[in-house]
């Protein structure tokens, strides 16, 4: 499905040269949306459809709008968000996904009771709001909102080791190692440690089982913690660690020389900050002693400290390989056999590592002075031309690797679209745009090119959402190896009745059922099973379910049978049919796919229009 | 087209004109220079090898169109063959080029960017850190006397910067700042502006020395839709109101810093500041020191590049050498002395271009169908724009002028005398007065402030510009005036500022 190009405009809509103008226009239109009017919402979503290339602008406008307007009007704006996401879905639902959780929750806390009820109705429709019957904004935001609104039902499981928690600790260990590297770049032991840590991080991100996570966590703690430390079991805060941006360490400023700089590293109070808040963590780490202060004497202990650490990680790693957790074919660089050799970090696997090209540039020796520049004769073409592919139409170059080729593809698509646009616009007058408003200029970082706003500060809720995402990913990564000869046999999850997906896992060299877990000889979707376990255990969830159903407004059709599971089954194979699924079926085992159009629930009564392809 | 197929030992060949175009063979590290007469255009096609125009690499086999009295240079590092069609006023090749220095400097700045990004990312450097290169984003102030190639150097450095490859990110988007009000940069002369650049800036015409600001025309490269933040100084000469300029420079600096703070990764790309020739000591005036200081402070400059002039280099070294790296780069031999009349014509071009866009004739031999030529990076020769003309009532727009009507420089006042009118005071302009000077004057339409409440007059000068309009007719009896604006819109309730820049449509 491609929405790269706007469909012919069915109503007079001004022509926009750039996102700025469009932003102004859309924001202005939004301000007119003060009552729950079907035509108004329809018109605004039509515009969103026409300008799908500026989906990010639309999304930002709506978000800003919802945040700015007084509480009584917020619901209407949410109906618009809902309508756009459901009817247009791609890419809007994807764009709303990251912001919808805080937006919903913040709004929810501000509005009155009756609006709250309406919002909950709307939230219920989001469960199966996507065209494929999945959660409209993805399982994670849905869960995050529901847990916040209905109260969490997961508290029973405190000793669970989440991958987020492990990631947090990994992040910490990596940060520590990097700080060490910066203060002492020639410390080989730390240098060996880093790639291993990065590698581990990737595996954890891919998702590991409980046991493996616990194993990694324990090992990590042995490494980063002196033995005296009591073995801490559950940190409420630790998962949030992963939400921390990588430590910004400007060496010349950030070392505050708090500790006695000549003291050996062990004398620093080691990491007591864990159980405290996230924000407490960073400052209380002892700064690594600056290079010049490290005399020969304290160096030795540093090594003594780090050497076991490296081998520990290596041991852990090899244990994981043995256990089959870490696929051996996919993990070349970190050889478990020889840890003393500095291992190159594979560049494309982690954006955190400096690229080969950057290394080459850094290895050039130029003195920052008039004579230094005059004396230096770079082979510039060698540095900038040799490993690149060029766009034949404009001469722009891209690096000759997977990312570069992807960029070139996008770039050529862009040429194509522009050409089409140019042909379409023949005979039409263009004009210079007004300059953008100050606020937009300051904040438009990346807007124009659709870069993600990675720097949005993570609130607690977002961090929670991230944890959910990790948990979800972790569940989805679980699999059951297909018994020989059963590849063709269809399996359905007993909870959601959906067929299970069979896939070939390269790392394992086996056919497996994805997202699967085996319990009592029955195979379930791992996600369904987890949800089922949670919701059967939680009275509150059930109560909330019933309450919500009784609140459904009159326009909503039948209330479906309440069952302990409130899972929303994945319906990957279901043809996209109903764009406005039934809201009240929060616990439905099976949804009607066709002809279920009367149920609009929390969505404003707005008809779907076909999103043309 | 293989790089090896070009024989660098071949002598630089003069023009061979048999098929309507001339072929130039360029030696390694040499350049082809040309100047265009008014109303002529040429097309340059790279046939073989690698070539670039102020840091923008040329694609092979595509004719790049130049017009609008453009004076430019095609440089090759490893040798190339060019085809030129059309008749430039002057064309020659030269092996004396400063590009080698500019390239070295750009690699140095690239190192600074990489180091800063590595720190933001927490990427390990493995001891790669080059000595003596600060791990901070390069904030470069370019200084030099008139006709030393400041703007060209800025453009070249930006174009090299956007060719770099930050790992895991899209590309560098350094901020290009123009504090030379004599140079229109992205809009009209008299403005002071900044924009972030993420793809190469094209060189096609003198009217757009630093690329184009956004228009509704389809744009191929996103750099063609530069989004500048613009403030209005309103004069082409610094000495008209240095106090105002300093205030504007500081405002712009604050905004740019705010923008950089939003984006820690983008921050690593740094910024480059183009300055007016009046910052060099050849011109008199005590204001230049305070203006240079304002630039350095408000943009957190850590590198000063001085082109040519050793005196200026020594002065900067003495004043700022302790905290800032002061580097002198040679002036390129290709820089042409531009006289006053030429500069005046270019300014008119710029205003014309802001409103009406630009169109060039395709020289014979360049048009081989779609996609065979590029003008301003666009596959078209016609970038015309349609401005809109509106009649508004005198009461719709409130017009101000900043400072006294005809201010002599402070230094020209009798000793001990002070101004009667503050340089920063907005004075109301009455359009119904025949001596208002509004006719043909360029007005900066100020961005409306978010708060609709009372506004202090002096706050006007801190507002950025939304766009420029020109008063093309005044009807005093009916209290109406006709204004030309780049795009249609309503003007009621808007505030505009006039200054000393006029423009008349040449019919």
């Amino acid at each position: 499905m491609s929405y790269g190009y706007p469909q012919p405009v069915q109503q007079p809509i001004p022509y926009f040269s750039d996102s700025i103008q469009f932003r102004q226009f859309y924001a202005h239109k939004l301000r007119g949306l003060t009552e729950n009017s079907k035509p108004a919402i329809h018109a605004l979503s039509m515009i969103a459809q026409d300008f799908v290339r500026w989906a990010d602008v639309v999304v930002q406008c709506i978000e800003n709008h919802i945040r700015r307007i007084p509480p009584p009007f917020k619901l209407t704006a949410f109906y618009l968000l809902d309508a756009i996401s459901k009817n247009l879905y791609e890419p809007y639902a994807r764009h709303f996904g990251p912001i919808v959780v805080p937006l919903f929750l913040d709004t929810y806390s501000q509005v009155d009771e009756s609006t709250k009820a309406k919002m909950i109705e709307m939230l219920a429709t989001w469960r199966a709001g996507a065209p494929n019957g999945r959660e409209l904004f993805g399982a994670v935001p849905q869960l995050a909102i529901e847990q916040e609104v209905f109260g969490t039902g997961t508290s029973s499981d405190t000793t669970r080791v989440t991958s987020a928690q492990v990631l947090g600790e990994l992040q910490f260990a990596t940060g520590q190692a990097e700080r060490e590297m910066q203060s002492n770049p020639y410390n080989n032991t730390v240098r060996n440690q880093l790639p291993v840590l990065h590698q581990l991080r990737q595996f954890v991100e891919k998702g590991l089982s409980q046991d493996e996570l616990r194993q990694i966590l324990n090992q990590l703690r042995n490494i980063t913690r002196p033995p005296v430390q009591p073995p801490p079991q559950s940190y409420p805060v630790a998962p949030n660690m992963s939400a921390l941006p990588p430590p910004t360490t400007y060496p010349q400023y950030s070392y505050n020389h708090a500790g006695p700089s000549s003291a050996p590293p062990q004398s620093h109070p080691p990491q007591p900050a864990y159980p405290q808040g996230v924000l407490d963590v960073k400052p209380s780490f002892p700064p690594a002693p600056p290079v010049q202060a490290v005399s020969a004497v304290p160096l030795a202990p540093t090594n003594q400290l780090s050497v076991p650490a490296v081998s520990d990680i290596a041991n852990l790693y090899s244990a994981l390989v043995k256990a089959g957790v870490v696929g051996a074919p996919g993990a070349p660089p970190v050889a478990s056999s020889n840890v003393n050799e500095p291992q190159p970090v594979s560049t494309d696997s982690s954006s955190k590592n400096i690229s080969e090209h950057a290394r080459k540039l850094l290895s050039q020796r130029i003195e920052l002075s008039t004579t230094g520049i005059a004396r230096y004769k770079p082979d510039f073409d060698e540095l900038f031309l040799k490993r690149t592919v060029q766009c034949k139409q404009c001469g722009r170059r891209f690096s000759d690797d997977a990312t570069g080729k992807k960029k070139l593809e996008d770039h050529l698509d862009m040429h194509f679209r522009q050409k089409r646009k140019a042909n379409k616009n023949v005979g039409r007058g263009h004009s210079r745009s007004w300059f953008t408003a100050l606020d937009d200029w300051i904040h438009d970082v990346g807007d124009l090119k659709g870069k993600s706003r990675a720097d949005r500060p993570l609130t607690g809720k977002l961090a929670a959402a991230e944890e959910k995402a990790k948990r979800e990913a972790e569940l989805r990564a679980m699999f059951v190896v297909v018994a020989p000869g059963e590849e063709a046999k269809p399996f359905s999850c007993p909870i959601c009745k959906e067929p299970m997906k069979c896939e070939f896992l390269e790392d394992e060299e086996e056919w497996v059922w994805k997202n699967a877990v085996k319990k009592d000889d029955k195979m379930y979707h791992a996600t369904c099973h987890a949800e089922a376990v949670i919701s059967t255990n939680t009275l509150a969830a059930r109560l909330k379910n019933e309450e919500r159903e009784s609140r459904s407004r009159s326009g909503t059709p039948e209330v479906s049978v309440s069952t302990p599971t409130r899972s929303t089954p994945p319906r990957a194979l279901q043809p996209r049919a109903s764009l406005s699924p039934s809201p009240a079926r929060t616990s439905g085992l099976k949804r009607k796919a066709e002809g279920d159009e009367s149920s609009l629930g929390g969505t404003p009564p707005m008809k779907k229009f076909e999103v043309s392809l | 087209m293989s790089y090896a197929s070009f024989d660098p030992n071949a002598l630089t060949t003069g023009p061979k004109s048999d098929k309507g175009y001339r072929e130039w063979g360029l030696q390694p590290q040499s350049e082809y220079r040309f100047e265009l007469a008014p109303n002529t255009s040429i097309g340059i096609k790279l046939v073989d090898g690698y070539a670039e125009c102020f840091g923008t690499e040329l694609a092979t086999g595509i004719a790049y169109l130049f017009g609008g009295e453009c004076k430019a240079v095609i440089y090759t590092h490893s040798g190339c063959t060019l085809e030129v069609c059309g008749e430039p006023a002057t064309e020659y090749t030269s092996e004396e080029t400063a590009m080698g220095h500019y390239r070295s400097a750009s690699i140095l700045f690239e190192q600074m960017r990489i180091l800063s990004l590595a720190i933001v990312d927490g990427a390990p450097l493995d001891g790669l850190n080059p000595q003596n290169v600060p791990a901070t984003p390069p904030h470069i102030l370019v200084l030099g006397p008139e006709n030393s190639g400041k703007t060209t150097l800025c453009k070249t450095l930006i174009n090299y910067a956007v060719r770099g490859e930050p790992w895991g990110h899209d590309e560098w988007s350094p901020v290009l700042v123009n504090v030379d009000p004599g140079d229109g940069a992205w809009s009209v002369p008299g403005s002071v502006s900044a924009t972030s650049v993420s793809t190469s800036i094209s060189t096609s015409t003198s009217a757009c020395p630093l690329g184009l600001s956004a228009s509704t025309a389809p744009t191929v490269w996103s750099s063609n839709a530069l989004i500048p933040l613009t403030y209005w100084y309103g004069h082409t000469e610094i000495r008209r109101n240095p106090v105002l300029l300093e205030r504007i420079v500081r405002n712009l600096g604050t905004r740019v810093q705010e923008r950089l703070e939003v984006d820690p990764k983008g921050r690593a790309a740094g910024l480059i500041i183009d300055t007016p020739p009046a910052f060099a000591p050849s011109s008199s005036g005590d204001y230049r020191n305070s203006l240079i200081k304002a630039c350095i402070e408000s943009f957190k400059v850590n590198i000063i590049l001085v082109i040519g002039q050793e005196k200026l280099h020594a002065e900067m070294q003495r004043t700022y050498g302790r905290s800032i790296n002061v580097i002198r780069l040679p002036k390129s031999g290709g820089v042409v002395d531009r006289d006053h009349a030429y500069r005046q014509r270019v300014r008119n071009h710029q205003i014309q271009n802001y409103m009406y866009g630009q169109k060039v004739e395709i020289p014979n031999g360049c048009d081989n169908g779609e996609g065979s030529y590029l003008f301003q990076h666009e596959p078209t020769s016609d970038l015309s724009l349609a401005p809109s003309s509106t009649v508004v009532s005198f009461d719709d727009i409130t017009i101000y002028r900043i400072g006294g009507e005809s201010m002599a420089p402070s230094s020209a006042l009798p000793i001990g005398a002070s101004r009667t009118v503050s340089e920063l005071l907005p004075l109301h302009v009455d359009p119904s007065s025949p001596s208002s000077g509004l006719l043909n004057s360029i007005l900066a339409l100020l961005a409306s402030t978010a708060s609709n409440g009372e506004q202090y007059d002096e706050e006007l000068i801190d507002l950025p510009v939304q766009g420029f309009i020109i008063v093309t007719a005044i009807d005093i009896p009916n209290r109406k005036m006709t204004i030309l604006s780049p795009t249609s819109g309503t003007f009621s309730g808007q505030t505009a500022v006039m200054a000393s820049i006029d423009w008349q449509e040449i019919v």
Side-chain angles (χ1 to χ4, degrees), chain A residues 380 384, chain B residues 52 55 99 103 106 156-164:
Chain A
F380 192 90
F384 276 92
Chain B
E52 58 189 39
M99 284 302 285
R103 286 178 153 215
S106 77
T156 309
L157 291 177
I158 281 276
N159 282 341
Y160 281 145
V162 297
R163 282 166 73 171

Side-chain angles (χ1 to χ4, degrees), chain A residues 17-95:
Chain A
S17 63
D18 57 76
S19 61
I20 308 303
Q21 258 191 342
F22 176 66
R23 182 194 298 273
Q24 287 171 350
F25 166 80
Y26 204 73
H28 177 76
K29 283 267 170 195
L30 273 177
R31 279 194 285 275
L33 182 72
T34 47
E35 58 186 72
N36 189 0
S37 125
K38 180 178 159 182
I41 290 177
H42 181 73
L44 279 162
S45 21
M46 286 301 283
I47 299 173
Q49 184 191 14
D50 288 334
F51 290 90
V52 76
R53 64 186 183 284
W54 286 324
D56 53 336
V57 176
V58 171
V59 169
Q60 280 165 21
C61 282
I62 293 176
E63 186 194 2
N64 289 339
H65 180 69
I66 293 179
R67 289 195 181 279
R68 273 182 203 155
I69 48 174
F73 304 120
K74 284 183 196 279
L75 183 65
T76 312
F78 254 104
Y79 283 161
L80 173 66
L81 184 156
D82 176 277
I84 290 181
S85 305
K86 281 181 184 154
N87 292 311
L88 305 175
Y89 191 62
E90 178 66 22
Y92 282 99
R94 183 160 46 83
H95 279 287

Side-chain angles (χ1 to χ4, degrees), chain A residues 2 39 60 68 74 76 84 134 140 156 159 201-202 205 225 230 251 323 356 365 387 402 416 423 439 506:
Chain A
S2 155
Q60 280 165 21
R68 273 182 203 155
K74 284 183 196 279
T76 312
I84 290 181
R134 299 299 313 263
V140 182
S156 59
T159 50
R201 187 188 165 82
Q202 282 164 35
E205 275 167 354
R225 208 171 296 269
E356 272 312 307
R365 297 278 163 222
R387 10 105 270 135
F416 179 73
N423 291 339
D439 275 355
E506 300 220 344

Side-chain angles (χ1 to χ4, degrees), chain A residues 17 178 249 351-353 361 364-365 380 394 396-397 414 418 430-432 435 441-442 444-445 449, chain B residues 57 103 111 119 121-123 130 167 170-171 215-216 219-221 227 258-259 263 328 353 386 466:
Chain A
S17 63
E178 276 166 0
T249 41
S351 67
K352 280 196 154 293
N353 293 313
L361 276 167
Q364 307 286 317
R365 297 278 163 222
F380 192 90
C394 65
R396 188 168 169 190
R397 284 183 186 272
M414 186 270 299
Q418 299 288 7
H430 307 297
S431 55
R432 183 84 57 207
F435 298 130
W441 190 83
I442 291 172
D444 92 331
V445 181
K449 303 167 75 207
Chain B
E57 196 189 349
R103 286 178 153 215
Q111 291 184 339
I119 287 166
D121 260 5
W167 58 97
D170 275 3
E171 56 272 300
S215 74
T216 58
T219 48
V220 173
W221 282 19
I227 313 272
E258 279 174 27
R259 185 189 162 108
D263 182 15
R328 192 169 72 86
N353 178 60
Q466 182 194 339

Side-chain angles (χ1 to χ4, degrees), chain A residues 93-403:
Chain A
R94 183 160 46 83
H95 279 287
F96 278 118
I99 60 160
V100 76
V101 179
L103 190 61
F104 189 96
L105 295 176
D106 293 350
T107 309
Y108 190 77
S109 66
Q110 291 169 15
V111 296
D112 58 18
E113 283 306 316
S114 68
T115 315
K116 274 186 179 158
K118 294 229 171 66
M119 286 183 74
I120 289 185
E121 278 177 37
M122 181 171 63
L123 176 63
T125 68
W126 288 356
R127 286 214 182 143
N132 59 6
R134 299 299 313 263
E135 293 87 345
L136 184 57
F137 301 107
V140 182
Q142 186 76 23
L143 211 64
I145 298 177
E146 285 179 7
Q147 292 209 339
E148 195 68 30
V149 172
F150 304 140
T152 168
T154 54
S155 51
S156 59
D157 203 10
T158 44
T159 50
R160 250 178 87 85
V161 181
T162 66
S163 57
Q165 191 176 347
V166 179
L167 278 175
E169 305 220 355
L170 264 174
Q171 175 87 39
F172 161 68
T174 316
Q176 222 185 11
E178 276 166 0
R179 271 189 289 277
E180 175 67 20
M181 275 296 290
Q182 271 170 4
S183 63
N184 188 359
Y186 299 102
N187 185 340
N188 275 339
T189 49
V190 182
R191 195 189 304 189
N192 293 343
Q193 203 173 347
L194 267 176
V196 185
L197 286 170
H198 283 302
Q199 195 86 20
L200 272 179
R201 187 188 165 82
Q202 282 164 35
F203 287 117
V204 176
E205 275 167 354
K206 275 186 205 149
L208 297 172
S209 76
Q210 274 296 304
D211 285 351
E212 290 141 8
L213 285 175
R214 205 180 299 276
Q215 205 182 345
I216 296 180
L217 197 61
N218 290 338
Q219 291 275 12
L220 264 177
R221 286 183 185 154
N222 289 341
I223 295 161
T224 54
R225 208 171 296 269
V228 261
Q229 200 84 0
Q233 257 312 307
S234 70
Y235 312 121
V237 193
N240 290 355
M241 289 285 292
S242 64
L244 274 180
T248 347
T249 41
Y250 286 89
Q252 53 274 65
Y253 308 119
S254 68
Y255 292 138
N256 52 13
H257 301 273
S261 55
S262 58
Q266 295 102 314
S267 74
H268 291 300
Q271 310 91 44
Y274 253 15
Q276 301 160 17
V278 176
L279 291 173
D280 299 336
V281 174
K282 266 208 310 196
S284 60
F285 288 146
V291 187
Q292 61 270 37
V294 180
S295 65
V297 183
L299 253 181
T302 313
N303 287 343
Q304 276 168 17
L305 182 74
S306 315
V307 169
V310 170
S311 58
D312 274 2
I313 292 182
N315 289 344
L316 164 62
Y317 183 79
S318 53
L320 290 176
V321 173
K322 258 185 237 153
V325 179
V326 176
V334 192
S336 50
S337 53
N338 190 358
V339 280
N340 292 328
E341 214 171 18
Q343 297 295 340
V345 185
S346 61
T347 42
D348 51 356
S349 61
S350 165
S351 67
K352 280 196 154 293
N353 293 313
I354 206 162
S355 67
E356 272 312 307
H357 180 236
R359 273 167 202 282
K360 206 152 122 199
L361 276 167
L362 280 187
S363 65
Q364 307 286 317
R365 297 278 163 222
I366 324 173
E367 202 185 313
L368 183 57
S369 70
T370 305
T371 47
I373 286 177
R375 222 179 284 141
Y376 172 68
K377 298 272 179 267
D379 192 347
F380 192 90
D381 285 357
E382 169 71 28
L383 289 173
F384 276 92
L385 299 177
K386 280 302 169 61
R387 10 105 270 135
T388 51
V389 285
Q390 191 180 25
C391 166
K392 296 256 183 289
Q393 294 177 57
C394 65
R396 188 168 169 190
R397 284 183 186 272
F398 299 87
S399 62
D400 192 14
D401 55 19
T403 32

